Amino acid sequence: MSREEVASPERRAAAVAEALVEQGAVPDASLDSLAAVEERLDWRNGARVVAKAWTDPDYKARLLSDGTAACAELGFEGPQGEYIVVVEDTPDCKNLIVCTQCSCTAWPVLGLPPDWYKSPAYRARVVREPRRVLREMGLDLAPRVAVKVWDTTAETRFVVLPLRPEGSEGWSEDQLAAIVTRESMIGVARVTLPA
Ligand code: FE
């Protein structure tokens, strides 16, 4: 097998689309809908899921027992979202997601992966020295906090349910969704209140 650098998923998808149209295999119009699908893949969807889980205990229970179904309840489903597994942060345990093989994420709720997540450095180091990588990314964990690293695959797309920050009591779902970040759902950051 070749060890050459592989182009990004976006570039590969564009090349496939171009070839299909050129050969007349698909009409242009059906590819427009593919572009629309990509636009729907937004980590802000995940922020809505987290905010709902923080404010609705029944929803949170459903989310933790069947992530795929609970995300679909809010309309977030589709390619690379078939096997969503949600892991919950606690004061004593920090969850962290990586795809050591490539760059899998749960597209419907995390969107396409950010560049740092795809980097060989993150993928290799976060398994060996997660605390150090987290510290470099600005998250200093107390020694008593355990770190769990989850290796996402094609069949388990992990998403972190971060801790709800102190001081956000009584906030609406919309307010909460606005402070959830993509990084917090990958597990490399906490959710904090705006300064
Ligand atoms: Fe992957």
Side-chain angles (χ1 to χ4, degrees), residues 133-183:
V133 172
L134 286 177
R135 201 177 313 124
E136 287 169 10
M137 295 180 87
L139 179 58
D140 215 346
L141 291 178
R144 66 167 180 84
V145 178
V147 182
K148 271 193 205 166
V149 180
W150 300 86
D151 192 0
T152 271
T153 66
E155 269 139 33
T156 44
R157 300 299 173 101
F158 295 107
V159 177
V160 175
L161 175 58
L163 280 175
R164 180 172 173 167
E166 280 177 33
S168 65
E169 295 77 16
W171 284 32
S172 72
E173 233 179 278
D174 283 348
Q175 286 174 303
L176 291 167
I179 59 170
V180 177
T181 61
R182 176 172 62 182
E183 284 66 27

Side-chain angles (χ1 to χ4, degrees), residues 89 94 134 137 139 162 181 183-191:
D89 278 352
K94 182 84 205 71
L134 286 177
M137 295 180 87
L139 179 58
T181 61
E183 284 66 27
S184 70
M185 294 182 286
I186 295 176
V188 297
R190 289 194 184 90
V191 177

Side-chain angles (χ1 to χ4, degrees), residues 53-71:
W54 282 346
T55 51
D56 179 342
D58 291 338
Y59 181 76
K60 177 177 158 182
R62 293 199 297 282
L63 182 67
L64 293 175
S65 72
D66 186 341
T68 307
C71 290

